[in-house]
């Protein structure tokens, strides 16, 4: 396999596909949890653990990648990521017992973490990372929207959890062709070596990563059980699938909005607007709602989530002075994806989801306070 210039269109395209592939399970998390609950006769708690164990593998790989991802040919890394992700999902479809399903999803999570972490490294090494982060988020939304639109109608309604993971594995196997355009290596290692040995405190970076985990974890708990909340309100599965797929439009609008707005109004006010909107969504989803209200809420949820996330990644990158912790942003998101659904599954009581939304709002508030502090710290 040949190499590709890291700033070329082919490189950005491949990085975006890597990101969308690595985030695919997260994008369809409500369907995964819902189909597992129905097909495997699981409680909400045990279904939540399916998501958590998947993202545990994701997290493990992203943390360890700090030590090896810049030492190995990135095309080979991408091949390994797809192999683990696809094989893990296929195994989850055919193993007969719950513990083995957990193990298979863990393996798939390792593959997803490789792909997503590699994307973060590629984009952070480009000349225009802000723009390309927005593009990769759009790719995630596009793939997630297609899966959410088609899977409930044509797959899960007939073949349940098994059909879902097989179908997703087949789609990801097709997307693996993008590895031919993955650059063989990055550029920041050489740049860092040639730069001065100035040392900066890493405390702001770690605070930013912690805030990323909190924000993402709180919302992940809500997103993982969005399908269950709609089901509890007597909304039929096909309508739920349509709503979840259409909500991807909100994610696209949020990502585009952040890319177009940039820092025109700074990074504080966008965070404030996003958290107010997300708190309103949590309040709505905590009660009784119709399919229309559910749809509008999901659109707003993903729009404000992606809108806020674009600024949050920029805030952390701004206090990561030597670029060393780019891959750990993926780790922080993965940790949130591990903790959020697990906690949500444990605190759901008799199909009442109020505590899930309370935890979400508190986590968002704390995270936003930290991000605002980091913005002011970077300004000085």
């Amino acid at each position: 396999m040949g190499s590709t210039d890291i700033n070329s269109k082919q490189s950005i395209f491949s990085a975006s596909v890597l990101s969308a592939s690595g985030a695919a399970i997260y994008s369809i998390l409500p369907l995964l949890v819902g189909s597992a609950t129905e097909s495997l006769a699981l409680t909400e708690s045990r279904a939540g653990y399916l998501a958590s164990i998947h993202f545990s593998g994701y997290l493990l790989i992203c943390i360890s990648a700090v030590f090896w991802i810049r030492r190995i040919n990135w095309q080979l890394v991408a091949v390994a990521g797809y192999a683990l992700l696809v094989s893990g999902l296929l195994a989850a479809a055919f193993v007969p017992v719950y513990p083995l399903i957990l193990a298979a999803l863990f393996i798939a999570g390792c593959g997803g973490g490789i792909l997503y972490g590699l994307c973060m490294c590629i984009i952070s090494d480009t000349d225009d990372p802000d723009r390309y982060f927005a593009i990769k988020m759009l790719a995630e939304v596009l793939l997630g929207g297609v899966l959410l639109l088609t899977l409930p109608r044509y797959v899960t309604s007939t073949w349940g959890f098994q059909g879902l993971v097989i179908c997703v594995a087949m789609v990801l196997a097709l997307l693996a062709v993008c590895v031919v355009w993955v650059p063989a290596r990055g550029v920041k290692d050489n740049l860092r070596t040639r730069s001065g040995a100035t040392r900066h405190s890493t405390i702001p970076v770690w605070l930013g990563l912690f805030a990323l985990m909190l924000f993402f974890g709180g919302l992940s708990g809500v997103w993982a059980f969005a399908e269950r909340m709609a089901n509890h309100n007597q909304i039929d599965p096909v309508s739920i699938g349509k709503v979840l797929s259409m909500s991807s439009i909100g994610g696209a609008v949020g990502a585009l909005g952040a890319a177009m707005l940039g820092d025109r109004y700074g990074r504080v006010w966008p965070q404030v607007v996003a958290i107010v909107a997300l708190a309103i969504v949590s309040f709505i989803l905590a009660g009784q709602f119709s399919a229309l209200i559910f749809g509008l809420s999901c659109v707003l949820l993903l729009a404000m989530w992606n809108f806020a996330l674009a600024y949050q990644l920029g805030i952390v990158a701004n206090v990561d002075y030597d670029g060393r912790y780019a891959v750990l942003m993926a780790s922080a998101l993965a940790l949130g994806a591990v903790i959020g659904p697990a906690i949500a599954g444990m605190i759901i009581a008799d199909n009442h989801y109020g505590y899930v939304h309370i935890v979400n709002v508190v986590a968002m508030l704390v995270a936003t306070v930290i991000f605002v502090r980091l913005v002011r710290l970077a300004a000085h």
Side-chain angles (χ1 to χ4, degrees), residues 2 51 58-59 61 101 104 109 140 144 150 191 204 233 249 280 320 345 369 376:
Y58 210 97
L59 174 63
I61 285 295
I101 295 174
E140 295 170 13
T150 56
L191 292 175
N233 280 273
I249 296 175
I280 292 173
D320 179 16
V369 169
R376 293 175 177 173

Side-chain angles (χ1 to χ4, degrees), residues 156-323:
T156 56
S157 59
T158 303
W159 293 289
F161 174 80
Q162 184 181 45
L164 182 145
V165 291
I166 291 175
C167 185
V168 173
M170 292 172 62
V171 171
L172 295 177
L174 293 175
L175 293 178
V177 298
C178 76
V179 300
V180 299
W181 297 301
V182 172
R185 58 187 57 82
V187 299
K188 276 196 174 180
D189 285 343
N190 293 333
L191 292 175
R192 193 181 300 122
T193 300
R194 292 197 296 267
S195 64
T198 304
R199 288 187 170 272
H200 300 276
S201 172
T202 60
I203 293 177
V205 180
W206 291 109
L207 281 174
L209 293 172
F210 175 70
L212 273 179
M213 182 272 294
L214 274 183
F215 196 89
F216 207 81
L219 288 168
S220 293
V222 174
W223 180 241
F225 289 94
E227 188 271 349
R228 292 287 87 193
M229 296 174 194
N231 181 271
H232 181 63
N233 280 273
Q234 309 301 316
I235 301 175
D236 67 276
V238 174
S239 297
I240 293 173
K242 289 180 180 178
V243 164
L244 294 177
S245 63
M246 292 300 292
S247 66
S248 63
I249 296 175
V253 171
L256 277 175
M260 295 176 64
L261 190 62
D263 60 357
R264 189 176 307 169
Y265 299 103
R267 286 170 168 159
V268 173
W269 280 110
Q271 294 292 305
V272 173
V273 170
I275 192 173
V276 170
L278 289 168
I280 292 173
V281 170
S282 253
F283 176 79
I284 293 172
L285 294 180
Q288 300 293 316
F289 49 81
S290 65
L292 176 61
I293 296 300
F294 178 61
L296 294 175
S297 297
C298 285
V299 168
L300 184 59
L301 172 70
L302 290 192
M304 290 296 99
W305 193 344
N306 275 3
F307 182 74
L309 184 59
Y311 285 100
Q312 291 165 359
L313 292 172
I315 291 170
V316 177
N318 201 38
V319 295
D320 179 16
Y321 299 105
D322 59 7

